[in-house]
Amino acid sequence: MAAATIPRMTIEDRLYLIRFKADKESHLVIKDPQVCLDCETKPCTTFCPAHVYEWEDNRITVSYEGCVECGACRIGCPPGNISWRYPRGGFGVSYKYG
Amino acid sequence: MAEEKFDVIVVGAGPAGTAAALTAAKAGLDVVVVERGDYPGAKNVMGGVLYADMMSSLIPEFWKNAPLERRIIEQRYFLVHGESAVSIGYRNPQYANDPPNNFTVLRAKFDKWFAEQAEAAGAFIITETVARELIRENGKVIGIRTDREEGDLYADVVIIADGVNSLLAKQAGFHPEWKPDQVALAVKEIIALPKEVIEDRFNIESGQGVTYEFFGQVTNGMVGNAFVYTNNESLSVGLGVMLADLVKSGLHPYDLLDEFKSHPMVAALLKGGETKEYMAHLIPEGGVDAMPPLYGNGFMICGDAAQMVNALTREGSNMAMESGRIAGEVAKLAKDRNDFSVNTLSEYQRRLEKSFVLQDLHQFRNTTKYLEHNQHFLSLYPELADMALHEFFLVDGASKREKIRRIMDRVKQKRSLWRIGRDFYGLYKNMK
């Protein structure tokens, strides 16, 4: 009997399933872009579970609209270069199941 | 919002905050709960297991009305190596009787219901509101500043239950930022399957459920584990690893989850399921060593915000509820004495020390660290267990004595018996 195969999902597919209400302003702010330039591994681009951070054209882009508010980037960024707060009340992720 | 004064402000409507609010409101105190989600539960995530004992002490016979998914009758642990696994489990259908032992929930539904019970007891719940900082005066916490206009709230005591990020206590300087080796990052999916399919696949009746925990290769050598829990018409499927390990690995957590879902043993359980939701959350795993002061003049800290999780037994929601209930009781005691200083609030710590919460956290304070520093428990030992049992169960004409000799030879090639003895003695010592 062939083993069951489970279709792989992209992170975009996954985020599409979540209900978000994005604020106009980002609740995630890179404190000093130079620090990211000097950061060798840029681990935020891999460990963030919502793939909020991407290295493009020599800078970190921050897709805060898809942030699931876990807080991992604030703690995991090696030089502590991410200023992190909760989105304003009524904004951000809103789970149906949780 | 006009300037208002309450007996108690509770920040956060999760298991800790709602337990505190319900307890204090039932005791006749004037309670306000500040919750940042659209509704209590909208921002709340866990693996999915809650515990009846702590619920019963808050709401007797809660199971008659609460939105529970399935009562857990079987807990099973899998040590995975390659396509094979060694497993140990315990099944007892009596766990499904009243009162249940533990059960799965979907937090968005359960927390909403739980908060409604606090509301019915008289607590006032304000949603869509973020508590940004504590207001202090003369070394005493006297209220909170919210992100609403004129959103300052005042109370005799603030119960801080704002979850694992614990931003309020950090902002107030009660604890430093958590370190990457003090939190785990977990990702999870809700995967829908028909009720009958779940019951067939997991060998359970209607209303019964199982928890499967997976250790070993599923986390690529990182400290952590993966799980499959049964809900009524869905499975909670997730994976969590220490954030420090994940940062170093260069891996996407959702790719690790995909790998886990594709493992032949897991894929067979999920086949045909449809992912309904994806979520991520931190788990505090620093234990007592990371714990902030639990109380001070005018405040108490409960649940995840105070690092109250036993990572080894994946218990957290029970500690949150227990600490919340005790905080609610101590708030009542403080009101009766009209003393909200450390003199009375220190009773919170004393009662927690007598409860399983601090006793368990003290007992296991070094266990996670021990596993982190001895990673062969999650890599080498699953491999050896796989090899030994594969050899033992394979019928190939060799005598049992010969088989045991082969097994011991191969074990000794990987690690000396003396080292193995030392590893397990160390584990035992760190769990005593």
Side-chain angles (χ1 to χ4, degrees):
Chain A
M1 200 176 75
T5 51
I6 299 298
R8 295 229 160 195
M9 292 173 78
T10 64
I11 184 61
E12 289 76 20
D13 292 339
R14 287 187 162 103
L15 296 178
Y16 185 73
L17 298 170
I18 311 176
R19 194 165 52 190
F20 290 105
K21 189 172 158 195
D23 203 348
K24 287 189 204 77
E25 244 179 77
S26 176
H27 60 289
L28 311 169
V29 178
I30 301 291
K31 293 178 192 167
D32 178 359
Q34 184 61 40
V35 170
C36 298
L37 265 172
D38 298 339
C39 174
E40 270 180 39
T41 53
K42 307 187 202 328
C44 61
T45 61
T46 56
F47 73 75
C48 166
H51 203 202
V52 166
Y53 303 95
E54 185 104 75
W55 185 251
E56 281 173 341
D57 306 324
N58 276 327
R59 57 186 278 273
I60 289 279
T61 59
V62 183
S63 308
Y64 72 92
E65 304 89 340
C67 168
V68 292
E69 300 159 32
C70 70
C73 60
R74 189 186 75 249
I75 300 166
C77 168
N81 196 34
I82 297 168
S83 157
W84 195 100
R85 57 192 285 167
Y86 285 126
R88 279 193 299 150
F91 291 94
V93 69
S94 193
Y95 289 119
K96 290 193 297 271
Y97 299 91
Chain B
M1 221 187 295
E3 194 175 290
E4 278 188 84
K5 166 99 191 271
F6 297 84
D7 292 330
V8 183
I9 293 170
V10 177
V11 182
T18 299
L22 176 60
T23 306
K26 271 205 289 197
L29 271 58
D30 195 11
V31 181
V32 62
V33 182
V34 176
E35 163 56 43
R36 66 190 188 90
D38 293 345
Y39 53 88
K43 306 271 191 186
N44 303 355
V45 176
M46 69 173 181
V49 180
L50 258 178
Y51 300 84
D53 184 67
M54 292 76 217
M55 271 304 291
S56 295
S57 57
L58 293 160
I59 304 171
E61 304 200 325
F62 69 91
W63 56 85
K64 290 184 174 161
N65 303 306
L68 311 183
E69 293 293 314
R70 288 177 182 273
R71 298 172 178 208
I72 303 307
I73 63 154
E74 180 176 335
Q75 307 199 166
R76 186 161 280 280
Y77 297 82
F78 296 81
L79 201 51
V80 179
H81 181 249
E83 290 196 354
S84 56
V86 181
S87 80
I88 183 171
Y90 181 64
R91 181 184 175 100
N92 186 341
Q94 291 197 6
Y95 281 138
N97 300 343
D98 293 339
N101 175 42
N102 54 10
F103 47 88
T104 45
V105 295
L106 298 169
R107 289 285 301 274
K109 291 179 189 168
F110 180 86
D111 288 22
K112 187 165 178 280
W113 174 86
F114 192 28
E116 282 163 9
Q117 311 312 303
E119 222 165 6
F124 177 47
I125 300 181
I126 306 175
T127 56
E128 301 191 3
T129 304
V130 183
R132 291 292 185 199
E133 56 187 278
L134 297 171
I135 303 171
R136 286 191 283 182
E137 195 179 84
N138 303 325
K140 181 185 180 307
V141 172
I142 57 164
I144 58 167
R145 180 147 298 154
T146 73
D147 64 349
R148 295 220 179 197
E149 260 178 62
E150 294 176 43
D152 290 359
L153 293 171
Y154 294 89
D156 288 323
V157 60
V158 177
I159 296 178
I160 302 170
D162 58 345
V164 57
N165 280 294
S166 195
L167 296 185
L168 271 188
K170 192 191 74 160
Q171 181 271 337
F174 298 154
H175 66 78
E177 181 62 272
W178 310 136
K179 295 185 186 72
D181 63 357
Q182 291 173 330
V183 291
L185 176 65
V187 290
K188 177 178 120 172
E189 286 177 19
I190 298 292
I191 299 179
L193 276 171
K195 188 173 177 292
E196 299 73 28
V197 172
I198 292 174
E199 286 160 11
D200 279 352
R201 269 181 208 177
F202 291 87
N203 188 23
I204 47 179
E205 305 286 335
S206 181
Q208 298 178 339
V210 305
T211 62
Y212 289 173
E213 315 275 349
F214 300 83
F215 296 85
Q217 265 185 342
V218 290
T219 53
N220 268 43
M222 292 181 264
V223 174
N225 78 302
F227 59 86
V228 176
Y229 302 152
T230 54
N231 302 314
N232 200 26
E233 294 185 292
S234 65
L235 303 175
S236 290
V237 180
L239 178 142
V241 290
M242 289 304 285
L243 182 60
D245 288 352
L246 185 67
V247 170
K248 261 186 268 162
S249 74
L251 298 169
H252 294 296
Y254 37 87
D255 287 345
L256 286 170
L257 183 60
D258 264 341
E259 292 266 318
F260 172 64
K261 286 167 62 184
S262 303
H263 189 284
M265 199 163 34
V266 182
L269 299 172
L270 312 184
K271 194 172 66 176
E274 187 195 349
T275 299
K276 291 289 189 184
E277 194 162 59
Y278 166 75
M279 58 215 83
H281 208 264
L282 290 176
I283 305 168
E285 298 201 353
V288 282
D289 294 311
M291 215 171 240
L294 298 177
Y295 66 93
N297 288 317
F299 75 90
M300 291 176 272
I301 312 181
C302 306
D304 275 10
Q307 289 268 354
M308 290 175 188
V309 164
N310 184 349
L312 211 63
T313 57
R314 61 109 166 83
E315 290 173 42
S317 57
N318 57 341
M319 295 193 170
M321 278 190 188
E322 185 79 351
S323 63
R325 181 179 60 76
I326 294 173
E329 288 169 0
V330 172
K332 164 70 173 156
L333 181 72
K335 173 80 179 172
D336 290 346
R337 291 186 190 167
N338 194 27
D339 169 39
F340 297 89
S341 74
V342 290
N343 292 332
T344 295
L345 298 189
S346 58
E347 185 63 20
Y348 175 57
Q349 171 112 20
R350 272 196 294 279
R351 292 186 188 185
L352 279 172
E353 272 164 9
K354 281 189 216 142
S355 89
F356 73 96
V357 177
L358 284 181
Q359 289 186 4
D360 284 358
L361 289 175
H362 274 288
Q363 182 181 349
F364 295 109
R365 78 186 295 168
N366 294 319
T367 316
T368 323
K369 261 179 250 150
Y370 184 77
L371 290 174
E372 266 165 60
H373 294 134
N374 295 275
Q375 296 209 348
H376 34 262
F377 277 103
L378 296 174
S379 50
L380 176 64
Y381 288 124
E383 182 190 333
L384 292 180
D386 177 18
M387 178 277 294
L389 288 167
H390 177 263
E391 178 65 44
F392 192 78
F393 289 128
L394 185 73
V395 174
D396 59 358
S399 70
K400 292 294 180 244
R401 178 169 301 179
E402 167 64 12
K403 282 190 171 290
I404 288 173
R405 197 189 54 75
R406 281 185 202 163
I407 291 169
M408 291 314 288
D409 280 353
R410 272 185 266 169
V411 167
K412 281 187 270 186
Q413 277 169 22
K414 295 279 185 177
R415 198 159 177 87
S416 76
L417 293 182
W418 184 78
R419 292 292 293 273
I420 292 173
R422 211 177 58 166
D423 288 344
F424 281 89
Y425 178 68
L427 184 66
Y428 164 75
K429 251 183 62 182
N430 278 293
M431 288 172 71
K432 217 164 49 155

